[in-house]
Structure formats: structure tokens, C-alpha cells
Amino acid sequence: MVAIVDYGVGNLMAIQNIIKKVGGNSVIASDPAIIQQAERIILPGVGSFGYCMERLTKQDLIPVLQEEVFGNKKKILGLCVGAQMMTEESEEGGSRGLGWVQAKTIKFDEAKVPILPHMEWTDVRFKNYTSLGRGFEEGGRFYFVHSYHFEFYQARQVLATAHFGYDFACVFQRENIFGVQFHPEKSHRFGMRLFENFLSL
């Protein structure tokens, strides 16, 4: 069972539908007890970094997520802003993040990109083909909507990059913690494959 964290933000039904399509079971959960019972966790996110962190804090979900991710070592996948919140901080409003990965969230360099936000299908290049990268040896295209991206202090945590004006990290892993900058729930067959990979880890 996968718990899709409900803190009032994200494409929850779309995520649940695509997990069902690839043969998985999921529950949309805001109750810490249900999150504790799940085998895996998905942390969605849409909108601004600060608002999402505020909602997650107000719902009092950070303690249970910390315990399940670090205490019980459950695998968790952050989507878009859900993944950004796993970094230490964001330039978007100067908000602090969860600090789960050694990175920060920065705004695209507007002098180097054609327009913001980056809102289009974009090729993703995986650095290795284990874990989330299985089956993407020929590449994959995912749907992005964002003006900020990850900046990692340690390149070894970066699993894949994409290009928008310049290369940027778009998939990461730190042990049982995974994050993607794009929206796999809106990325059709490529998104389905990524969710299949997450469920089979």
C-alpha cells in the first residue's frame, strides 16, 4: 500500500489513478495512523514552496513523515514541489525546507532561459539505470511546470538531469528518499514506468 500524503496540495486523484493502472494500491491520507500503516509514501506538491511547507506544518504531518522516512526507512517519492520541500531551503520566499537532501531550491537563471515557468514536455537523461531509471536507457519525456529547480552540493545524489537553457538536476536519491522535479502523474507511459519502478524498489 502506498500513502499519498494529503495536505491540501497536489494532483491526488491523478496520482492514485496512475498507481492503479500499473497494478499498485494506494490511499490518499492525511491521518498519521494511515501513513504509518503504508509500505511506501508519495509526497505531492503544486504551487509555491512556502505555501506547501505551511500546509504540511499546519496539518502536523512533518513528525510522522520524519519517523517513517528516517526511523522506519520507508521509501518516499516527492513530486515537483513535494520534492523541492525535501531540500534545505528555497529562494522562493526564502522558506526553509525539510532538509532531507543536501541541496537547495533555486530559481532558474532568467538570463539563460527563454521564458518562465518551464512548462513543457522535456527529455530526462538518467545517469544510471537502477532504481527509478530502469527502462529509460533510450530516454524518457516528462511533463514539467516550474520556475525553480534543485541545486545539489553532492552530485552523487543526482540520478537524472534535464535541459532548459542549461542542464539542471531533476531526479535525486538519498538512500530511501527519492524526488522528481516533473509530474509523472501527467507524463503518460513514461510516468507509468517511473511509478512501476518506485513500487518495485
Side-chain angles (χ1 to χ4, degrees), residues 5-7 30 32 35 56-57 59-66:
V5 180
D6 179 9
Y7 60 106
S30 58
I35 295 172
L56 198 64
T57 302
Q59 296 272 121
D60 198 26
L61 290 171
I62 293 177
V64 68
L65 291 176
Q66 295 271 25

Side-chain angles (χ1 to χ4, degrees), residues 16 30 37 41 79 112 117 123-124 160 176 183 201:
Q16 188 169 50
S30 58
Q37 293 169 10
I41 303 169
L79 310 181
K112 296 180 180 179
D123 292 330
V124 169
N176 55 310
H183 286 280
L201 290 173

Side-chain angles (χ1 to χ4, degrees), residues 11-156:
N11 305 309
L12 307 183
M13 291 301 298
I15 298 167
Q16 188 169 50
N17 287 338
I18 199 168
I19 289 175
K20 183 178 180 181
K21 284 183 179 179
V22 300
N25 296 313
S26 65
V27 60
I28 296 171
S30 58
D31 184 343
I34 295 176
I35 295 172
Q36 289 172 336
Q37 293 169 10
E39 297 171 345
R40 300 168 197 272
I41 303 169
I42 290 178
L43 182 61
V46 173
S48 72
F49 187 106
Y51 177 74
C52 288
M53 280 300 302
E54 180 182 341
R55 291 290 306 173
L56 198 64
T57 302
K58 284 186 175 180
Q59 296 272 121
D60 198 26
L61 290 171
I62 293 177
V64 68
L65 291 176
Q66 295 271 25
E67 176 58 27
E68 296 307 305
V69 171
F70 290 98
N72 295 321
K73 295 294 182 181
K74 288 183 181 176
K75 293 178 176 63
I76 186 168
L77 175 63
L79 310 181
C80 196
V81 183
Q84 290 181 359
M85 290 193 296
M86 295 175 173
T87 68
E88 296 173 354
E89 60 182 328
S90 175
E91 289 183 349
E92 187 176 17
S95 301
R96 298 294 300 174
L98 295 168
W100 292 355
V101 293
Q102 294 173 308
K104 59 184 177 181
T105 299
I106 64 171
K107 191 172 185 179
F108 273 108
D109 185 340
E110 295 186 67
K112 296 180 180 179
V113 298
I115 193 173
L116 284 179
H118 171 215
M119 184 169 60
E120 61 185 6
W121 288 80
T122 302
D123 292 330
V124 169
R125 300 180 300 278
F126 283 85
K127 294 184 175 183
N128 63 65
Y129 303 105
T130 60
S131 66
L132 292 183
R134 286 195 303 272
F136 292 112
E137 289 82 359
E138 302 300 320
R141 287 177 64 81
F142 293 88
Y143 187 69
F144 288 78
V145 184
H146 63 125
S147 297
Y148 296 78
H149 64 83
F150 318 123
E151 183 178 70
F152 274 82
Y153 311 136
Q154 296 188 18
R156 64 182 175 82

